[in-house]
Amino acid sequence: QSVLTQPPSASGTPGQRVTISCSGSNSNIGVNTVAWYQQLPGTAPKALIYNNSQRPSGVPDRLSGSKSGTSASLAISGLQSEDEADYYCAAWDDSLDTYVFGTGTKVTVL
Amino acid sequence: QVQLQQWGAGLLKPSETLSLTCAVHGGSFGAYYWTWIRQAPGKGLEWIGEIHHIGNTNYNPSLKSRVTIAVDTSKNQFSLNLTSVIAADTAMYFCARIYYGSGDDWFFDLWGRGTLVTVSS
């Protein structure tokens, strides 16, 4: 069950900045931290952001995350062709008592 | 370098039990939580449940009645059983490691390659 809402698609030309939003509620994003994942076609997801804005080792600093209230955002600066992928946000939901994921956003590099 | 290797039956009939295993190679098994996540074809991600190396479990309430996650510390493995499968259980199943840091830090930091399970009569 996807209780976090993301736009189905986003796009940009190489070098541009793309932002993906993730809308939740007071039982998930409003009170818990957010993580972001990138999923290339046919592969397992890869963590990009945790604790709203922290990057795991090896993730470039052109990827950044933020959170405000019950929403979070992932920004990709200096868009590259290899950024074409699906992106998912995730958080713990205190009401559902489970981790919940976003609906997913497909990023296309034009 | 820690790697997760997963395996299990890929084709099931309705009402059968899905069984998958995930082995942890090249790193510490203890002090982590281990989890299963699935993704129906063309759909988003769904968290199934988690287990600590000492056996504490936590399941997605929507699947709790049918799910068992177990651990075998002697083999550095953990497993997923999902009973009474239906077509809607058709999905790619991923095993993963959960990083829990201080405070609210968490994320799924290491993933297996996934196992496609199809439920069809």
Side-chain angles (χ1 to χ4, degrees):
Chain A
Q1 69 276 30
S2 296
V3 300
L4 305 181
T5 303
Q6 301 177 230
S9 63
S11 63
T13 57
Q16 277 191 328
R17 174 185 169 96
V18 168
T19 301
I20 302 167
S21 62
C22 175
S23 178
S25 69
N26 287 323
S27 64
N28 43 65
I29 294 178
V31 292
N32 295 310
T33 62
V34 177
W36 287 90
Y37 300 88
Q38 176 196 56
Q39 187 175 30
L40 297 169
T43 69
K46 170 191 172 184
L48 299 178
I49 297 288
Y50 70 100
N51 196 18
N52 306 323
S53 60
Q54 302 299 305
R55 285 183 300 275
S57 175
V59 175
D61 60 6
R62 62 187 186 84
L63 286 104
S64 61
S66 63
K67 186 181 98 166
S68 179
T70 58
S71 294
S73 294
L74 173 71
I76 308 173
S77 301
L79 195 64
Q80 301 176 3
S81 58
E82 53 261 41
D83 295 327
E84 277 210 346
D86 293 324
Y87 293 80
Y88 294 92
C89 57
W92 177 263
D93 191 293
D94 288 351
S95 294
L96 296 175
D97 203 24
T98 182
Y99 287 106
V100 291
F101 289 92
T103 48
T105 298
K106 183 175 184 61
V107 169
T108 301
V109 181
L110 301 172
Chain B
Q1 184 175 348
V2 184
Q3 292 185 333
L4 303 184
Q5 178 191 14
Q6 58 180 107
W7 65 90
L11 181 61
L12 297 173
K13 291 182 169 52
S15 80
E16 292 185 334
T17 296
L18 179 157
S19 293
L20 299 175
T21 301
C22 185
V24 181
H25 298 292
S28 173
F29 187 73
Y32 285 102
Y33 274 82
W34 305 91
T35 189
W36 290 96
I37 294 162
R38 70 180 183 178
Q39 185 173 36
K43 303 296 185 182
L45 300 162
E46 181 180 27
W47 182 73
I48 298 170
E50 64 183 359
I51 189 165
H52 190 256
H53 80 283
I54 61 173
N56 299 342
T57 55
N58 188 21
Y59 300 130
N60 185 327
S62 70
L63 297 169
K64 189 173 184 176
S65 64
R66 298 193 292 133
V67 170
T68 301
I69 298 177
V71 66
D72 185 340
T73 55
S74 68
K75 296 181 180 179
N76 280 11
Q77 294 177 359
F78 61 104
S79 62
L80 169 69
N81 272 17
L82 180 67
T83 61
S84 304
V85 296
I86 59 175
D89 293 315
T90 293
M92 183 72 79
Y93 286 75
F94 296 100
C95 61
R97 186 177 74 178
I98 309 178
Y99 165 86
Y100 281 117
S102 59
D104 292 333
D105 288 9
W106 71 271
F107 67 105
F108 308 121
D109 70 333
L110 191 64
W111 295 69
R113 290 189 173 186
T115 300
L116 179 61
V117 177
T118 302
V119 179
S120 174
S121 55

